Amino acid sequence: MWGTKEGLDFLVSETLKARYLRKGERDWEDICERVAKAIAITEEEHLGFKDLMIRKIFLPSSPTLMNAGTEFGQFAACFVIPVEDGIEEIFDAIKTTALIQKTGGGTGFDFSQIRPDDSPSLCADGAASGPVAVMKLFNEATEIVKQFGRRRGANMGILNVSHNDIVYFIRAKHVEGELSNFNLSVLVPDTFMELVEADRVGEVWNKQTGMTVGCIFSEIVEGIWRNGEPGILFYDRINRDNFTPALGDISATNPCGEEPLLPFESCNLGSINVSFFVTDGKVNWDLLREVTGKAVRFLDNEIDKNTYPAPEIEAATKRTRKVGLGVMGFHDMLLKLGLPYDSSETLKLAEKIMEQISWAAVRESRKLAAEKEPFPEHENSTWELPMRNAALTAVAPTGTISILAGCSAGIEPVFSWVYRRTRTVGKEFMLVHPLFEAHFMSKLPEVDYNWLLEHVYKHGTLQNVENPKLVSEEEKRIFRSALDIDWKAHINVQAAFQRHCHAGISKTINMPDYAGKEDIKQALIYAWRQGLKGLTIYRTGSRQHVVLSLKKPE
Ligand code: CDP
């Protein structure tokens, strides 16, 4: 189906039907009324929240949209559950996970406490099973729960780079289809990255196994090159932003990496569509700060109104009251401002957006602390003035809510200007990006416009259009999509947002299919030096099942 408006409207209505509409609801307004009413404390809040949602300026993440005002009443998208080394503890964690995933939440685990394969066993004479075997149990549980829930559960499996089983772990998804409900990440400290950077790869990292830095690092690089896994998490960087160090170190995140959390903490997410704030080439910063304040109130209310899947989760979450407010529609904002994704102005803008949002969020959290109470562990935190929330900002992928809002996802560049979308709701659509359509349709005669669409669909890019009357050099700079953008520019944008973001950023660093292992190695070192908390690299074509796909060249 060509034609953007009808295609997008159809996609939205299918998504609403598949996931969000409850009994008796007909449309988006009905959903906004249910959710705003459930989350608001006063009538003024109710109307304000509803207005922001109807206009798609701010949207809470899927679990809130699905569950607010229903018997589930579970709003959080992000959880971290500890996994101790013992049969009872492992199965307790699986039960908690099942209860979370039933309501649409995603779970992250640090499996480093599980003793390695072949070590003295849990029972008298059986063999210990190791983290990878334990992860398979969690994976199966997710598979079963999927049939009860409204969306497929997602897990993040994390292992410390010092664990004896690290190589089994890195290779655990080499066979496609294995651990399909998991993302994998290796947790690495600065000392490891320093040795990699200094090329001291021959040094023994793990004295028990004799594994060297070089051996482990090349396994990581190989895995990423093969199929985009594992991701990497930078332990020291994450813990530099641990606002409550007295409560312990952070060693795990939710499935997409944007929320590093303490054991049993959960976090509600919400995203502001930043492209909304551009009018006539200018950004309305006052309005952005005002919307941020309302969004913080929304997310903070959720903590008290939430129905928690387990008492430990309620206790841990209410101790720190973390929320994750982020952005979507960033690339659309750049297009409206006429800025290329890979430009220095873009980096300045990215940093300013997150700085302004974090600043306004902290201001609102202080107001809330004065009106209500500071978060209970405030005295034990690194915040000097009273705050209602220990952390406020994070950038989520916004995989589904950006479709509802009709904007580009999170801080990602547009994947392709012309694409088909498969799998999300089981159908296939041809869609043209609305800002691409608006620009080229008004500029070009119909026959040329149609030629351009065919060309971009076939090649996945307009960078190789040779006729400057069709596409000028300036247009080529502005209409660069994810695969036209160098990996360094991807990382630079993520780093610019990270600088003023309390939690983390979910982002994929795209590389072309011909990228080599040396590129991956350099990207990991560069990302660490730029201060990212973690990263995910994906080399085009290295995995069979991807949600967005371009037409194969003929
Ligand atoms: O757009 P939407 O609110 O549906 O979600 P997202 O921003 O793409 O994902 C936010 C978080 O929801 C992820 O980082 C996961 O923690 C969780 N999630 C999940 O548990 N299962 C999924 N299938 C997708 C997301």
Side-chain angles (χ1 to χ4, degrees):
M1 187 198 299
W2 297 93
T4 300
K5 177 91 179 69
E6 306 87 320
L8 285 176
D9 287 351
F10 189 64
L11 194 60
V12 169
S13 84
E14 289 288 289
T15 309
L16 290 182
K17 266 190 254 162
R19 259 200 203 161
Y20 303 102
L21 287 171
R22 296 284 79 93
K23 224 173 161 188
E25 290 177 348
R26 284 155 305 149
D27 53 21
W28 177 236
E29 283 205 21
D30 289 347
I31 295 172
C32 297
E33 169 60 21
R34 164 171 55 80
V35 175
K37 197 160 171 230
I39 306 299
I41 295 169
T42 62
E43 184 54 15
E44 190 191 340
E45 276 185 359
H46 171 197
L47 297 176
F49 293 164
K50 189 173 162 187
D51 177 61
L52 286 183
M53 289 180 64
I54 287 180
R55 295 202 285 155
K56 299 177 176 178
I57 302 170
F58 161 81
L59 293 184
S61 72
S62 286
T64 306
L65 291 175
M66 296 189 300
N67 301 333
T70 75
E71 78 274 23
F72 278 120
Q74 197 294 104
F75 308 142
C78 309
F79 295 79
V80 162
I81 303 300
V83 188
E84 303 294 330
D85 189 22
I87 289 291
E88 226 176 295
E89 290 82 354
I90 288 169
F91 282 88
D92 278 346
I94 292 176
K95 179 184 170 188
T96 309
T97 301
L99 294 175
I100 291 167
Q101 292 185 355
K102 200 174 92 177
T103 62
T107 37
F109 317 90
D110 174 8
F111 288 105
S112 308
Q113 298 306 317
I114 306 290
R115 76 195 75 178
D117 210 358
D118 286 329
S119 64
S121 84
L122 295 168
C123 353
D125 32 34
S129 29
V132 174
V134 172
M135 283 168 64
K136 288 184 181 164
L137 287 173
F138 282 77
N139 193 64
E140 282 308 306
T142 299
E143 201 63 31
I144 303 293
V145 175
K146 199 161 82 184
Q147 296 155 15
F148 294 88
R150 272 185 223 107
R151 75 166 170 179
R152 190 193 169 90
N155 298 295
M156 172 70 97
I158 294 158
L159 201 66
N160 193 302
V161 70
S162 300
H163 195 283
N164 286 5
D165 279 6
I166 194 67
V167 172
Y168 294 141
F169 175 83
I170 294 168
R171 293 183 183 177
K173 288 186 75 174
H174 276 194
V175 177
E176 198 162 312
E178 285 284 307
L179 292 175
S180 58
N181 299 313
F182 265 95
N183 295 328
L184 305 184
S185 276
V186 178
L187 186 67
V188 299
D190 281 351
T191 45
F192 184 84
M193 291 308 293
E194 278 155 11
L195 290 171
V196 168
E197 188 183 40
D199 215 19
R200 285 163 59 187
V201 287
E203 295 210 9
V204 172
W205 178 257
N206 183 327
K207 293 209 175 68
Q208 278 174 23
T209 60
M211 272 185 291
T212 59
V213 169
C215 145
I216 301 170
F217 192 68
S218 59
E219 285 284 342
I220 295 173
V221 169
E222 168 82 22
I224 295 172
W225 187 83
R226 285 171 72 116
N227 66 359
E229 294 209 66
I232 200 156
L233 291 170
F234 299 119
Y235 173 82
D236 292 291
R237 176 66 184 87
I238 286 174
N239 281 286
R240 274 200 288 283
D241 280 352
N242 179 358
F243 299 97
T244 54
L247 301 184
D249 288 358
I250 298 178
S251 67
T253 72
N254 72 313
C256 304
E258 69 273 21
E259 276 299 338
L261 295 170
L262 290 164
F264 287 121
E265 275 184 338
S266 69
C267 185
N268 310 315
L269 302 175
S271 303
I272 296 175
N273 176 3
V274 285
S275 75
F276 173 83
F277 298 85
V278 180
T279 326
D280 300 331
K282 287 217 168 68
V283 182
N284 188 340
W285 295 105
D286 288 339
L287 188 59
L288 177 63
R289 288 187 292 263
E290 192 188 316
V291 167
T292 299
K294 289 182 182 158
V296 166
R297 245 164 224 273
F298 186 108
L299 296 171
D300 184 68
N301 283 3
E302 285 193 61
I303 296 172
D304 298 313
K305 298 213 168 195
N306 201 358
T307 306
Y308 291 86
E312 304 91 308
I313 297 175
E314 177 162 11
T317 306
K318 288 186 170 168
R319 263 200 293 277
T320 55
R321 304 184 66 89
K322 290 176 183 169
V323 299
L325 176 62
V327 301
M328 55 185 166
F330 176 62
H331 198 189
D332 286 354
M333 180 186 204
L334 297 178
L335 293 167
K336 286 186 181 174
L337 291 168
L339 292 177
Y341 193 88
D342 46 356
S343 66
S344 53
E345 293 98 314
T346 289
L347 296 183
K348 276 189 219 133
L349 178 69
E351 196 166 334
K352 182 164 181 191
I353 291 170
M354 208 64 241
E355 193 239 354
Q356 292 292 306
I357 292 179
S358 284
W359 181 86
V362 167
R363 182 179 63 174
E364 195 65 24
S365 187
R366 294 212 164 113
K367 267 196 223 160
L368 282 166
E371 265 172 49
K372 301 175 182 182
E373 273 175 345
F375 66 93
E377 293 289 344
H378 174 257
E379 298 279 309
N380 276 326
S381 79
T382 55
W383 293 102
E384 279 175 20
L385 295 174
M387 294 270 287
R388 180 74 170 153
N389 317 85
L392 290 147
T393 46
V395 178
T398 71
T400 320
I401 60 168
S402 66
I403 296 175
L404 297 182
C407 64
S408 57
I411 59 164
E412 296 291 359
V414 170
F415 184 75
S416 175
W417 308 108
V418 183
Y419 60 94
R420 68 194 160 115
R421 190 169 247 281
T422 52
R423 287 190 43 182
T424 315
V425 284
K427 294 206 176 173
E428 212 169 79
F429 307 93
M430 293 298 180
L431 292 169
V432 184
H433 187 277
L435 295 169
F436 178 98
E437 185 182 72
H439 180 85
F440 286 104
M441 215 182 201
S442 59
K443 174 191 149 174
L444 297 175
E446 196 178 338
V447 45
D448 289 342
Y449 176 67
N450 286 338
W451 180 89
L452 184 64
L453 288 189
E454 279 299 335
H455 177 94
V456 175
Y457 181 49
K458 193 164 151 190
H459 296 262
T461 178
L462 48 61
Q463 299 302 318
N464 57 355
V465 174
E466 276 165 14
N467 182 348
K469 289 205 183 93
L470 290 184
V471 181
S472 69
E473 284 308 309
E474 175 68 5
E475 285 164 337
K476 283 186 185 175
R477 272 194 294 278
I478 292 172
F479 288 95
R480 274 191 202 132
S481 50
L483 302 179
D484 300 325
I485 296 165
D486 185 61
W487 60 257
K488 233 179 208 173
H490 277 277
I491 293 178
N492 288 340
V493 169
Q494 186 174 343
F497 275 97
Q498 184 63 72
R499 276 194 269 286
H500 298 282
C501 181
H502 299 157
I505 313 265
S506 169
K507 164 124 186 62
T508 301
I509 307 304
N510 290 99
M511 287 197 182
D513 57 354
Y514 54 80
K517 291 176 195 165
E518 185 58 26
D519 292 312
I520 290 170
K521 177 182 166 187
Q522 292 308 327
L524 291 173
I525 296 171
Y526 184 71
W528 169 65
R529 275 285 170 215
Q530 290 300 305
L532 298 198
K533 293 187 181 176
L535 94 162
T536 308
I537 298 175
Y538 180 69
R539 189 172 63 87
T540 306
S542 62
R543 210 183 290 162
Q544 279 166 11
H545 302 290
V546 280
V547 176
L548 295 168
S549 61
L550 296 168
K551 190 178 174 188
K552 287 208 179 75
E554 279 141 342

